[in-house]
Amino acid sequence: MFRKIIALVSVALLHVPYLGAWGARGHTVANLSAVEAIPADGDSPTFLRSMEAYIGHLGTIPDTWRSSTEPYLRISEDANHGWYTEQFDYIPDPPRSRTEFVLRVYDEYLKTKTKDPDRAKLINIRYTGTQAYSIMEGYERMKAGMRLYRTGSLAPTYISISPIFTNPDQVKQLLAQDIAFYMGWLGHYVADAAQPLHNSQHHDGWRGVNPKNYTRDPDIHGRFETNYVDLIETTPPDVNKYVRKEARHLDDVWKAVLDHSLEARNSVEDVYRLDQRGAFTKKDDQEARELVYKRLASGASFLRDLAYTAWIESAKPIPRISPTDQPQNPDNPRYNPATGSAPAPLK
Ligand SMILES: [Zn+2]
């Protein structure tokens, strides 16, 4: 009996995927490179450059919110680090609302649970991920912070700054720190989304049909994003060369977030192919090095673009919304009674 229990436990453990993230080095470098890519002049959040070390340091922090020692936080946080696209192919056009997405995944679970209980075990947000929503929410936090920063303590906004703090320079400094925190936090998910294996069902070993005989070993995830990044001692200058020079203003941020993930997914097979020929044990493998640099640079470029876009958008006046267009108004034609809100408007 005891032996049987041990056997069952080890089988269960074998099936618990790692679902990790770039190691400490990768996350720090991606955030540092993003700050270094903020344009030094023009209409751009240049004040963030003086907080580069803090933003770099924050790159690793969201992974410390996924520990068994803080189980409530972990449940809410784990899903934010992945977007395993094939796992929700029944939602071809993900809604512009986290809650609506959660409910659509749950509907699919209800449809499947009696027909195919084994498959149903993975039809939940833990195994679809919610990374695209954590990025959007992080971007909006940064934009809201920038709006406050622009007005500082001088003009009241719809959220008032505490009247206790009356020194405008102090208020400005506090607001700048907030934005640095939001950017560093957001950078974690943006870098995760640039890691090919965070955007595919093949996150921890190849799943399903396997004509090219790719590894099923879940450790491929860590071999690429942590061990190899450490082996080649990746630094910001390695990555900076591959960062897009021009900051982009993103017209439709949600669409850009989805595209950022899909672009990363295109390199899933590259990771498996390189692993197959043992590239991640070779310090001088040019192709493997370049894949690391390009993927981290994709995260850095996109984080910089999000900061730049948030800055431009935060200067725009707040539009007036009629009572019927308020998302929580049941008379709003886009109101979804299952979520109690209308999804975010297009663009
Ligand atoms: Zn992560």
Side-chain angles (χ1 to χ4, degrees), residues 20-22 27 63 66 81 188-189 192 198:
W22 289 107
H27 275 296
D63 275 339
R66 306 177 64 187
H81 299 243
H188 181 94
Y189 308 125
D192 274 357
H198 278 252

Side-chain angles (χ1 to χ4, degrees), residues 320-329 331-334 342-343 345:
R320 291 198 75 78
I321 299 179
S322 72
T324 359
D325 286 336
Q326 294 291 346
Q328 78 282 13
N329 186 341
D331 295 330
N332 181 331
R334 301 173 60 250

Side-chain angles (χ1 to χ4, degrees), residues 107-118:
D107 284 347
E108 185 71 14
Y109 163 77
L110 291 179
K111 274 191 242 163
T112 316
K113 68 173 183 162
T114 31
K115 287 194 294 219
D116 189 348
D118 265 346

Side-chain angles (χ1 to χ4, degrees), residues 20-84:
W22 289 107
R25 182 182 278 269
H27 275 296
T28 311
V29 168
N31 274 14
L32 292 173
S33 290
V35 178
E36 290 173 23
I38 293 174
D41 46 23
D43 192 11
S44 160
T46 49
F47 64 93
L48 290 167
R49 293 167 73 97
S50 67
M51 285 179 286
E52 180 179 333
Y54 180 47
I55 294 169
H57 145 82
L58 284 164
T60 64
I61 298 303
D63 275 339
T64 67
W65 301 336
R66 306 177 64 187
S67 163
S68 54
T69 45
E70 284 80 39
Y72 292 81
L73 180 59
R74 181 182 187 167
I75 290 167
S76 126
E77 187 60 22
D78 262 347
N80 285 334
H81 299 243
W83 191 238
Y84 311 114

Side-chain angles (χ1 to χ4, degrees), residues 37-206:
I38 293 174
D41 46 23
D43 192 11
S44 160
T46 49
F47 64 93
L48 290 167
R49 293 167 73 97
S50 67
M51 285 179 286
E52 180 179 333
Y54 180 47
I55 294 169
H57 145 82
L58 284 164
T60 64
I61 298 303
D63 275 339
T64 67
W65 301 336
R66 306 177 64 187
S67 163
S68 54
T69 45
E70 284 80 39
Y72 292 81
L73 180 59
R74 181 182 187 167
I75 290 167
S76 126
E77 187 60 22
D78 262 347
N80 285 334
H81 299 243
W83 191 238
Y84 311 114
T85 48
E86 306 93 337
Q87 298 273 98
F88 55 91
D89 52 9
Y90 48 88
I91 309 178
D93 186 13
R96 290 173 187 246
S97 153
R98 177 192 283 264
T99 317
E100 202 159 307
F101 180 79
V102 172
L103 292 175
R104 281 172 63 180
V105 172
Y106 186 60
D107 284 347
E108 185 71 14
Y109 163 77
L110 291 179
K111 274 191 242 163
T112 316
K113 68 173 183 162
T114 31
K115 287 194 294 219
D116 189 348
D118 265 346
R119 197 170 90 76
K121 281 182 192 162
L122 301 187
I123 303 182
N124 50 56
I125 55 156
R126 182 61 184 83
Y127 288 96
T128 59
T130 55
Q131 183 177 269
Y133 298 101
S134 56
I135 294 176
M136 279 315 290
E137 291 153 6
Y139 160 75
E140 293 195 336
R141 248 177 233 119
M142 198 165 51
K143 179 149 70 80
M146 287 174 171
R147 191 175 298 116
L148 283 178
Y149 177 84
R150 282 177 177 282
T151 51
S153 62
L154 305 172
T157 58
Y158 64 105
I159 300 170
S160 30
I161 296 164
S162 169
I164 301 295
F165 299 105
T166 50
N167 176 341
D169 290 340
Q170 186 197 16
V171 170
K172 202 101 180 160
Q173 183 52 34
L174 292 172
L175 294 170
Q177 281 171 26
D178 294 347
I179 299 163
F181 178 73
Y182 301 142
M183 182 176 175
W185 174 9
L186 167 66
H188 181 94
Y189 308 125
V190 171
D192 274 357
Q195 208 284 44
L197 305 188
H198 278 252
N199 300 281
S200 165
Q201 62 172 342
H202 307 295
H203 41 76
D204 296 87
W206 195 265

